[in-house]
Amino acid sequence: MRKLIISTVIAATAATGAFAQSPSDVAKARRAYFTLVGFEMSTLGAMAQGKIDYDADVASQAAKDLAALTGYTMSDLFAPGTSNDDLPGETRAKADIWADMPGVQDKGMAFYQAVAELNGVAGNGLEALQPAVGKLGGTCKACHDDYRAKDF
Ligand code: HEC
């Protein structure tokens, strides 16, 4: 099974510290990544909540796009020196992330697995979609609760 590539590569990049981008660029890219995650999730969430009609193709596409995003190598998005302590007003990523990479990895794996499960059922009707979206939403919240500040 493919693994979500967060902590192993983070550890490696943290060790070398080799980045071409400025810390602000990293924070911008990280937020852009999560904007895409949120974009796909809002389609799925609205469907699961009955705010838009269930459509098997649209649900499957959104799930597939989330799967593509879980294949993205996130290590460079979590370059050291890019927490909200380092860049106040530019990011909500808490310094706790860099102090607890194994914890972040656990939350990331739960997210990855929920996306994989969602991909198995997204096209199988609203009743199948709803619990999978609920479970996925729980994994977003779990990581945000610990590692994302409420405000900038
Ligand atoms: C492994 C941890 C983790 C998981 C899992 C996770 N997020 Fe996040 N998310 C973050 C962090 C950290 C930030 C703050 C990024 C920043 O400000 O630099 C964030 C920021 C965001 C943002 C705001 C982006 C912006 O423009 O500032 C959205 C939207 C978002 N996440 C949606 C989601 C959704 C939806 C899910 C689940 C489908 C999810 N996230 C799963 C850690 C996570």
Side-chain angles (χ1 to χ4, degrees):
M1 193 179 91
R2 207 162 50 84
K3 273 202 184 152
L4 186 69
I5 307 156
I6 303 185
S7 76
T8 45
V9 199
I10 294 180
T13 43
T16 64
F19 289 101
Q21 297 86 352
S22 75
S24 292
D25 288 340
V26 172
K28 221 180 276 172
R30 181 172 59 223
R31 292 182 54 198
Y33 172 86
F34 283 113
T35 297
L36 287 177
V37 171
F39 182 79
E40 299 305 332
M41 186 59 173
S42 61
T43 301
L44 292 159
M47 242 182 235
Q49 289 165 24
K51 290 182 186 152
I52 58 172
D53 289 341
Y54 174 78
D55 180 301
D57 290 339
V58 174
S60 299
Q61 187 64 61
K64 189 167 139 262
D65 289 343
L66 282 177
L69 289 166
T70 61
Y72 187 94
T73 305
M74 293 175 72
S75 54
D76 46 358
L77 296 184
F78 285 96
T82 64
S83 75
N84 64 349
D85 284 352
D86 303 306
L87 303 166
E90 294 181 50
T91 171
R92 286 187 284 160
K94 289 165 136 183
D96 299 7
I97 292 171
W98 289 268
D100 180 26
M101 275 301 167
V104 179
Q105 174 75 6
D106 284 351
K107 309 284 186 199
M109 274 311 292
F111 166 65
Y112 174 79
Q113 277 158 6
V115 168
E117 283 173 35
L118 173 71
N119 271 269
V121 301
N124 299 352
L126 183 59
E127 281 80 44
L129 181 76
Q130 282 168 329
V133 170
K135 186 171 176 187
L136 175 59
T139 70
C140 315
K141 185 174 183 305
C143 193
H144 294 162
D145 283 352
D146 286 358
Y147 300 111
R148 187 180 76 173
K150 234 170 152 234
D151 300 309
F152 283 91

